[in-house]
Amino acid sequence: AQKITQTQPGMFVQEKEAVTLDCTYDTSDQSYGLFWYKQPSSGEMIFLIYQGSYDEQNATEGRYSLNFQKARKSANLVISASQLGDSAMYFCAMREGSNDYKLSFGAGTTVTVRA
Amino acid sequence: GAVVSQHPSWVICKSGTSVKIECRSLDFQATTMFWYRQFPKQSLMLMATSNEGSKATYEQGVEKDKFLINHASLTLSTLTVTSAHPEDSSFYICSAGTGNYGYTFGSGTRLTVV
């Protein structure tokens, strides 16, 4: 079974608008961590934001926020005020203790920001 | 912050030859290193986990004799693709665990086998 599901293969967003990238996860662990990474065409993996399973507040990092709905096992990424430089592939990932702390990645969502 | 340096960034090799990819942790000790493979427009697939001083643990379906991983020191892990073939052409990327907040990735290596 898929541990991380990203159902949006690609999205277009207008510059300066907000975009929400969906991510649902599957785990039976009580303690786990959720990550979002950005991968531009250069290939590097850029860490964006982290949410721990016990964190009660949604994580925020600048223009990035994570909408964490634990009961629904959902961890959507919201990018506010999109910029052209936000065009990239975005991956949701999960770390579980029961999986030796390896990261499981979703299929990714390609975001294209239009001027 | 924690930095992982990965070399080479890209390499072209002839079919049948071997290629070594290095990942070095520059300012921290990486007890564990993860190696991933990524095909164009696809996700990262974990190939193996290497622990300093011990044998690597390979994911199901990954040929351990083809993808040799060595983690001889706390700052260096290497992946050697042996007897490379065109189907091994891919993007390879390493990452090191850096504590509770996760992982630092190398910049990746684009391997093309001709």
Side-chain angles (χ1 to χ4, degrees), chain B residues 13-94:
Chain B
C13 72
K14 289 187 176 180
S15 190
T17 61
S18 295
V19 172
K20 181 185 282 188
I21 301 169
E22 292 189 349
C23 276
R24 293 182 184 273
S25 55
L26 297 186
D27 49 2
F28 69 104
Q29 294 182 330
T31 308
T32 302
M33 194 78 81
F34 303 93
W35 287 93
Y36 297 87
R37 181 175 184 175
Q38 185 182 27
F39 292 108
K41 300 197 184 300
Q42 293 189 21
S43 188
L44 279 72
M45 298 301 297
L46 181 65
M47 299 174 67
T49 304
S50 73
N51 292 293
E52 185 267 337
S54 61
K55 288 185 178 180
T57 304
Y58 291 81
E59 295 298 303
Q60 195 170 10
V62 176
E63 298 175 61
K64 58 182 69 176
D65 294 332
K66 180 164 191 61
F67 299 100
L68 300 179
I69 291 172
N70 185 282
H71 196 157
S73 78
L74 286 171
T75 59
L76 176 64
S77 178
T78 61
L79 166 67
T80 301
V81 183
T82 63
S83 187
H85 288 102
E87 57 265 30
D88 298 324
S89 298
S90 189
F91 186 68
Y92 294 88
I93 191 166
C94 62

Side-chain angles (χ1 to χ4, degrees), chain A residues 10-14 86-88 110-114:
Chain A
M11 296 185 73
F12 290 94
V13 59
Q14 206 64 32
D86 293 335
S87 294
T110 300
V111 172
T112 304
V113 181
R114 291 169 163 161

